[in-house]
Amino acid sequence: MRTSIATVSVSGDFREKLEAIAGAGFDGIEIFEQDFLTFDGSPRDVGRMVRDHGLEITLFQPFRDFETLPAPLRARAFARAERKFDLMGELGTDLVLVCSTVHPESLGGIDRAADDFRELGERAAARGLRVGYEALAWGRHVNDHRDAWEVVRRTDHPAVGLILDSFHTLGRGIDPDTIRRIPGDRIAFVQLADAPAIPMDLLYWSRHFRNMPGEGDLDVTRFMRAVMATGYAGPLSLEIFNDQFRAGLPRLVAQDGHRSLVHLMDRVRREEPGLAMDLPAFPPPAPVETVEFLEFATAPGEAEGIEALLASLSFERAGAHLTKPVTLWRQGGINVLVNTGVEGFTRNAFASHGTTVSEVGLLVPDAHAALARAEALGATRFDERPPEGQLAIPAIRGVGGSVIRFLDRAGDLGRVWETEFPDAAPASVGAGLVAVDHLGQTMAYDEMLSWALFYTSILDGRKAPMVDVADPDGLVRSQAVQSGGLRVTLNGTDARRTLAGRFFSDTFGSAVQHIALATDDILATAQALAARGFPVLEIGGNYYDDVEARFGLDSALTARLRAANILYDADGQGEFFQFYSAARPDGFFVEIVERRGGYSGYGAPNAPFRIAAQKRALRPASMPRA
Ligand SMILES: O=C(O)c1ccc(O)c(O)c1
Ligand SMILES: [Mg+2]
């Protein structure tokens, strides 16, 4: 698989772009003229610099408004083409993209276009160059790859091929299976992009909202299956026009791009195993079974706070680690570790975030396979050499520098608790908390696509539709991802005064802001926790009047919910109950949930009430806001 990415997809000056693209493992770049015009060097220097980074220039683009012009514009278009050919020779690339014309004076006509391309093909071939024709979704006469192919077919010149772009095909709703009829050796180049399903003007959508395959809502996998079925063996190139990526860190955007291509092609081969592909083998995606443990990094003088919170949740201190300053807290099927280590990773996690969820342990079908898949998809492996006699648990880096560990039931990893916490007591029933329901991770808005791609590609996650949560001080976007027994909500905001925004700045970056624990009987759990002094978040009375009317709830039930500060939601499948702790000074909080029936959401309609209550609770009572 030869991978490529358009230089417009990545931010930075030309050198930064190249370093990021080469570092992420790409083989080549599509070059946009504007991208090096500001670079202080000749086209020859540019070409040399690209090759010095181990990259090839797979495509030069775009050449616009070429075909079906009347005289004398036609002659001028050929003169322009000759100048671009000169430039391509200097850069050292042999393929130019011609996108379908939007010129107001263009005449259109398949045969007229084919005549123009035959002449252009002759001129290109004389210099050892090739031409590719792409249908822009908003082209004046040609806006469908089937018409562009008909032009190329009638041109019938070996130096003229078709360029496919998943955005233009899928964005217009054209059936990608129509590509299967095109001979693969007539496809000169393939560009890939996804996009969110937001109805808007095609050109504006294309130039601002494209994203990496798998990050949006287009069926890029089906498009790519059709392309591979033609026998096409050329580069796969990302062409992503996205305002956020242009402002993002070049290295991260390039890494996500490479991950998205590997993930896309892995899906293609699994969905259509007969297709020839030279992607190295790696393990298939596998859903997570359960969250086996959560670990807090804290410090010797700071642990009491988190331990008091755990005690108020009815967790019991079940034991201590064999050698490390780590205590194990248990209840139901939940294991929580509190680490006060003063060196290595724990120390760094605490130093950069304060008390924080530094590790998440996931039980998966095969831990080593999970690690191998993660590495194939570009995850950063985490190796902290365990002391003699302790287990090396396969691990990767997750959100905000945290660590995700993979456990399974086989061999040593299946005996991790007995090995590392030999005297630990088994879990008790406590207040009826049975499992980790989900983790809420807070991040900057522009990290959300990236982490959603991380969870979907590496951990076989499925995304729910993005929801907007109204904090009184700004909007927070929430993207839920679920892989088997792992549920994560990614909450992104750029609004600093939102609860999420404050947490983000107070904890110096992305981290778990809340953990949600599941019970099978929320009223009983609420009662048990009240007796233990759990710092419940008080919900205002208006909420209950509204929810009773909205769902037609029985007033006796509403009264019990009101008394226990429990929020309610329902979807077509089932019901949902939730209550919260007040937020700690750093913004961290705990949620208790009960799912009934097949409810699959997270109570998003309740979030504004929860946030308002948390903000009220943060304000000192003696100092009412002016
Ligand atoms: O937006 C454009 O003009 C444009 C140019 C070249 C492309 O390959 C493309 O897909 C879009
Ligand atoms: Mg394109």
Side-chain angles (χ1 to χ4, degrees), residues 7-26:
T7 45
V8 277
S9 316
V10 178
S11 69
D13 65 29
F14 193 66
R15 188 182 301 274
E16 287 168 326
K17 287 177 197 257
L18 290 182
E19 277 165 13
I21 290 168
F26 285 92

Side-chain angles (χ1 to χ4, degrees), residues 17 20 67 95 97 112 124 153 174 235 323 361 395 406 459 487 506 539 584 593:
K17 287 177 197 257
E67 75 277 27
L95 180 64
L97 176 149
R112 186 178 281 112
R153 197 185 67 78
I174 300 165
T323 57
F406 296 119
L459 294 174
R487 290 188 178 96
D506 289 355
I539 302 298
R584 282 161 46 95
V593 310

Side-chain angles (χ1 to χ4, degrees), residues 63-76:
F63 186 55
R64 296 183 192 274
D65 295 338
F66 161 70
E67 75 277 27
T68 72
L69 286 170
L73 293 172
R74 184 175 186 274
R76 261 189 253 150

